[in-house]
Amino acid sequence: MPENSSGAEPLSLRSRAWFDNPANTDMTALYLERTMNYGLTLDELQSGRPIIGIAQTGSDITPCNRHHILLASRVRDGIREAGGIAFEFPIHPIQETCKRPTAMLDRNLQYLSLVEILYGYPIDGVVLTTGCDKTTPAQIMAAATVDIPAIVLSGGPMLNGWFNGERTGSGTILWRAREMMARGEIGAREFTELIASSAPSAGHCNTMGTASTMNSLAEALGMSLPGCAAIPAPHRDRQEMAYLTGKRSVEIVRANLRPSQILTRPAFENAIVVNSAIGGSTNAPIQLNAIARHVGVKLDNDDWEQIGFDVPLLVNMQPAGEYLGEEYYRAGGVPAVVAELIAMGKINRTAITVNGKSLYENNEGRFTNDREVIKAHDAPMKTRAGFLNLRGNLFDSAIMKTSVISDEFRERYLANPLDPHAFEGRAMVFDGPEDYHARIDDPTLELDEDTVLVIRGVGPIGYPGAAEVVNMRSPDYLLKRGVNELPCIGDGRQSGTSGSPSILNASPEAATGGGLALLRTGDRVRIDLGKRTADILISDEELAERRGALEKAGGYGYPESQTPWQEIQRGLIDELSHGMVLKPAIKYQRIAETKGIPRDNH
């Protein structure tokens, strides 16, 4: 029998309760007979070999993850080579670019369904196939809840996009092209061709959007093998990584190495530091905070600022830099970034990873030879690249990504010597993206450099699902004058591929009574990055009167649910700052141990 990580006592495989239980022969026979109907033998199923699940996210409606259908073959090879048996199964799809109203609506649905599979079926360990944004946190959340041995295999980014000799990165080129079309520089056909050029192969976003961020952070957390995150999807190295991941999935079952042993507070602190260094997505705090809550580790947005703000930007990759996924991989990926952070004393030495070694041991000295793509820690792109956590009468928590603050934005809004790192502006309030798109170019609004664009009603309950719609450009008439960025605030999310330094994920959202629900067009808003504050400049008395009137009117209105799941999730969901988790779910932790084997089905 396999042994646990301490080597003290034999480890009993969960799958034996289904396939080899002498105390319950009749049920054992029932579980065996149908599992054997496609050719598995009785000897295999009762051999003591670990059953390894492959959580398959690849499908035709998830193009970012579709190549996992092929990668699973090499995962199977690795599982068989190491003495395991592979059970591949589909899980609920999530695709950021096609799912309406937002893919984030499905993160918790994939989480729930995977918990039920991992707990209720004869699975001893699992390979999590990740890629598109939400598939990574959803699956790690589920593995953490059940707490059986688990390992992440990411699918990797697409190859670089090119158009007329220039790199075109996923998403990033979309926001740029929107501005170009608004200025009249390109038409609809050119707009479409420009966007399509950024997707030349299988894989997820080739920028440091949320997909590359979350898969890099899965590696930084210790849930992937070293070097896994950055390998481009079509490369032969990705196939090799699939094979090695399959092999290791069997070994971690024999070692009884579980997510709860990997996903510790030091591991999350390492991930926060890595996120700053890579210029990671504004969606990362939501997703890591959610994973932490499901594994029982305290983590909040204050931690993201305290641990990550003073970390330098090292990776020169769009949207914060110039290059794309191919160059990031050739320059060394996550291991090369971690090597720099180790040299700075920023990496915890104790956090272990799925290969049994610490993140520190895996990556010490693995410096890059390409200083254009991954900068030295003492010669970074920016000395401070983490998130700020803002609060005030507009919200209790909202984040701002400092690595994408442009020179233009800093000069216009943050360079007043009499009021440094602060600005005030007139609020222009939009209730949802439809309102924004219908009115942003209306010249009668008379928007100018003094305007703060605000979009509300786009959070977990208001949208529902908190869509990535806080991607607000300046009106066309300001773009033509060279005003490329206005300050933006929203209670929803922004694409990780966006280079806009917006104030995002405002919690509580307008739909749950947050301060944005009280804001009116024309109000003066003050943002002070030095003090980490964001406030409507009205008296407390006026604010109280507005709140009373809002409550009397029944609160901030939002569209009715369109599906059963929208209604169910709206009734259970927490704020973005708390990870947008299902509140009743977080009390279920390590259930493979704490709840035991499920009851028989007949």
Side-chain angles (χ1 to χ4, degrees):
M1 288 294 295
E3 295 183 346
N4 65 17
S5 55
S6 67
E9 299 177 358
L11 170 69
S12 180
L13 296 173
R14 293 182 78 247
S15 58
R16 293 194 67 189
W18 281 260
F19 297 143
D20 193 12
N21 184 3
N24 197 348
T25 302
D26 60 341
M27 287 308 305
T28 296
L30 177 65
Y31 298 134
L32 282 166
E33 63 93 7
R34 203 54 55 93
T35 309
M36 294 168 59
N37 77 351
Y38 65 94
L40 281 174
T41 68
L42 179 63
D43 287 344
E44 284 177 290
L45 293 172
Q46 293 190 331
S47 65
R49 288 179 166 192
I51 304 294
I52 306 298
I54 303 173
Q56 180 57 266
T57 59
S59 72
D60 288 350
I61 62 170
T62 54
C64 291
N65 289 34
R66 193 182 186 282
H67 57 297
H68 273 303
I69 297 171
L70 303 177
L71 290 175
S73 175
R74 290 297 283 149
V75 175
R76 285 175 172 273
D77 291 343
I79 291 170
R80 175 63 68 171
E81 175 73 16
I85 298 173
F87 277 19
E88 185 177 347
F89 57 86
I91 58 176
H92 183 82
I94 309 177
Q95 176 60 34
E96 182 64 49
T97 57
C98 284
K99 174 60 194 283
R100 295 185 179 191
T102 171
M104 189 63 165
L105 190 69
D106 286 3
R107 187 205 64 182
N108 287 331
L109 196 53
Q110 187 179 91
Y111 156 76
L112 286 175
S113 65
L114 185 54
V115 167
E116 292 300 317
I117 293 169
L118 297 183
Y119 182 62
Y121 284 87
I123 295 173
D124 300 306
V126 63
V127 176
L128 309 174
T129 64
T130 70
C132 191
D133 300 9
K134 316 305 176 293
T135 62
T136 308
Q139 292 176 76
I140 297 177
M141 287 158 54
T145 293
V146 182
D147 202 31
I148 63 171
I151 186 169
V152 169
L153 174 67
S154 54
M158 295 181 288
L159 299 177
N160 289 3
W162 293 91
F163 192 85
N164 291 338
E166 293 186 20
R167 291 177 182 83
T168 53
S170 310
T172 301
I173 190 60
L174 171 61
W175 320 125
R176 179 182 164 195
R178 281 183 176 178
E179 295 176 358
M180 294 170 67
M181 190 159 64
R183 294 190 198 98
E185 297 170 0
I186 58 175
R189 178 61 182 261
E190 294 165 299
F191 179 86
T192 301
E193 291 176 349
L194 188 53
I195 305 310
S197 72
S198 68
S201 75
H204 60 66
C205 289
N206 50 27
T207 50
M208 190 55 75
T210 308
S212 288
T213 296
M214 289 311 304
N215 291 300
S216 292
L217 297 189
E219 185 176 331
L221 283 169
M223 291 297 293
S224 294
L225 292 177
C228 177
I231 305 169
H235 278 214
R236 61 164 297 279
D237 295 355
R238 179 57 66 188
Q239 297 278 342
E240 180 180 353
M241 182 57 70
Y243 171 75
L244 295 174
T245 299
K247 285 188 67 176
R248 185 59 189 165
S249 70
V250 178
E251 294 165 358
I252 61 176
V253 170
R254 289 177 172 149
N256 196 23
L257 180 57
R258 291 164 285 112
S260 61
Q261 297 166 280
I262 295 170
L263 298 171
T264 60
R265 172 73 185 201
F268 284 101
E269 292 181 358
N270 285 342
I272 288 173
V273 169
V274 169
N275 187 79
S276 296
I278 64 177
S281 168
T282 51
N283 289 298
I286 303 168
Q287 311 297 10
L288 257 67
N289 291 358
I291 295 169
R293 294 192 74 186
H294 283 291
V295 80
V297 171
K298 184 181 182 301
L299 194 73
D300 59 30
N301 286 349
D302 283 333
D303 292 316
W304 282 82
E305 179 177 329
Q306 291 165 9
I307 297 165
F309 177 56
D310 288 331
V311 176
L313 177 62
L314 302 180
V315 176
N316 184 10
M317 187 171 171
Q318 296 180 25
E322 177 183 358
Y323 295 101
L324 295 171
E326 289 186 61
E327 289 89 3
Y328 179 48
Y329 176 57
R330 286 197 296 267
V334 173
V337 176
V338 174
E340 295 295 334
L341 295 169
I342 288 172
M344 294 182 69
K346 294 285 188 180
I347 295 296
N348 186 287
R349 291 172 178 256
T350 66
I352 64 168
T353 73
V354 285
N355 73 351
K357 299 179 181 179
S358 70
L359 187 72
Y360 193 103
E361 292 174 299
N362 284 335
N363 299 306
E364 185 179 18
R366 295 182 66 174
F367 298 106
T368 185
N369 291 320
D370 189 342
R371 290 302 185 190
E372 275 297 307
V373 178
I374 299 178
K375 304 293 185 178
H377 66 274
D378 54 359
M381 295 177 66
K382 294 186 178 181
T383 56
R384 289 178 163 183
F387 298 138
L388 297 178
N389 186 27
L390 308 178
R391 52 174 50 89
N393 62 20
L394 280 170
F395 36 73
D396 294 339
S397 177
I399 62 165
M400 185 176 189
K401 180 177 176 178
T402 62
S403 64
V404 292
I405 296 178
S406 66
D407 292 340
E408 175 190 337
F409 189 93
R410 190 176 299 279
E411 179 63 28
R412 182 172 290 126
Y413 299 108
L414 303 174
N416 182 352
L418 301 178
D419 194 13
H421 311 299
F423 59 92
E424 296 180 10
R426 177 178 65 94
M428 179 64 230
V429 181
F430 298 101
D431 289 294
E434 296 84 1
D435 184 25
Y436 161 76
H437 287 294
R439 295 197 293 143
I440 184 60
D441 294 327
D442 183 352
T444 65
L445 297 181
E446 298 182 341
L447 307 184
D448 57 22
E449 295 91 332
D450 187 49
T451 302
V452 177
L453 302 180
V454 179
I455 190 168
R456 65 188 179 190
V458 293
I461 290 176
Y463 199 70
E468 293 185 347
V469 294
V470 193
N471 302 296
M472 295 188 287
R473 61 164 175 81
S474 299
D476 54 9
Y477 52 87
L478 288 186
L479 287 169
K480 292 171 183 176
R481 283 173 36 198
V483 180
N484 298 308
E485 295 176 307
L486 292 178
C488 299
I489 301 174
D491 60 3
R493 301 179 301 113
Q494 185 178 79
S495 171
T497 65
S498 174
S500 172
S502 303
I503 297 169
L504 302 163
N505 312 341
S507 307
E509 61 175 304
T512 58
L516 289 183
L518 309 177
L519 188 65
R520 297 174 181 171
T521 292
D523 284 342
R524 299 292 294 178
V525 171
R526 177 174 173 82
I527 308 298
D528 192 324
L529 301 187
K531 295 179 180 178
R532 315 297 198 255
T533 56
D535 294 288
I536 320 172
L537 297 181
I538 60 175
S539 68
D540 292 343
E541 292 76 14
E542 170 68 12
L543 200 63
E545 287 180 12
R546 292 188 187 185
R547 184 167 296 282
L550 181 69
E551 291 172 354
K552 187 176 181 180
Y556 181 85
Y558 50 84
E560 66 179 12
S561 296
Q562 298 166 305
T563 66
W565 174 239
Q566 289 182 17
E567 180 176 342
I568 291 167
Q569 179 157 257
R570 275 173 156 164
L572 302 173
I573 203 71
D574 212 335
E575 301 285 350
L576 287 172
S577 61
H578 296 152
M580 203 184 127
V581 297
L582 300 173
K583 288 183 278 189
I586 59 173
K587 66 177 178 286
Y588 292 89
Q589 295 181 3
R590 299 180 296 282
I591 62 173
E593 174 187 355
T594 60
K595 303 297 183 182
I597 297 294
R599 299 168 73 181
D600 285 315
N601 60 23
H602 281 74

